[in-house]
Amino acid sequence: MKTAIALALRLVLGAFWCWAGLTKLAGHFDAGPFLTAAVSRSAAAPEVVRSALIGAIGHVALPHVALVNFAVPWLELAAGVSILLGVATAWGIGTAAALSALFLMCGAVSTNPLLLFGAVVLAMSHPYARAWTLHAWRSPAATL
């Protein structure tokens, strides 16, 4: 039962992150307006979080928005494929959780709380989630 639930969660999260990355790659993705709006939306955050967020966005993300536009879709796609196939699953789950947390801090509240919760639950059930992965067909000696 635990294996089936972990597999379903892994398939849903993996498919979502693949879809998110592919739609950004297929369309015109520009993080600039989102990052600019994130500075104004952070007014409700605690002062420490707000100043760190504004500093990171203003000094790192906005000056290098072309790199952000390139990295975000590819990271989403890579995390989704990793979670779906079960290859480097821990990396994929960690990347998905980090992206969800970053998007949440920038004010994107839509599905990110559920995605972050799903990544945490999947990380906690990682031994069960590995049952139907590409790693499951390797011998135990090959994984050492």
Side-chain angles (χ1 to χ4, degrees):
M1 182 67 168
K2 292 178 183 178
T3 305
I5 293 170
L7 175 63
L9 182 58
R10 202 182 89 225
L11 292 176
V12 168
L13 283 176
F16 177 84
W17 285 107
C18 284
W19 173 79
L22 287 172
T23 55
K24 286 180 180 72
L25 288 171
H28 177 71
F29 172 66
D30 184 18
F34 175 75
L35 292 171
T36 305
V39 173
S40 64
R41 280 187 291 216
S42 68
E47 187 58 36
V48 174
V49 174
R50 182 171 143 47
S51 63
L53 183 65
I54 290 173
I57 290 173
H59 297 297
V60 179
L62 281 175
H64 305 290
V65 74
L67 180 62
V68 172
N69 290 340
F70 176 79
V72 167
W74 286 106
L75 279 172
E76 288 177 345
L77 181 60
V81 168
S82 169
I83 293 169
L84 272 177
L85 297 180
V87 178
T89 312
W91 176 86
I93 293 168
T95 302
L99 286 170
S100 291
L102 269 169
F103 297 158
L104 268 172
M105 286 191 289
C106 289
V109 183
S110 60
T111 58
N112 288 306
L114 290 174
L115 293 171
L116 182 58
F117 178 72
V120 169
V121 170
L122 191 58
M124 290 175 12
S125 64
H126 191 262
Y128 300 107
R130 292 189 61 171
W132 294 94
T133 66
L134 293 179
H135 287 293
W137 293 301
R138 288 203 272 173
S139 68
T143 58
L144 296 177

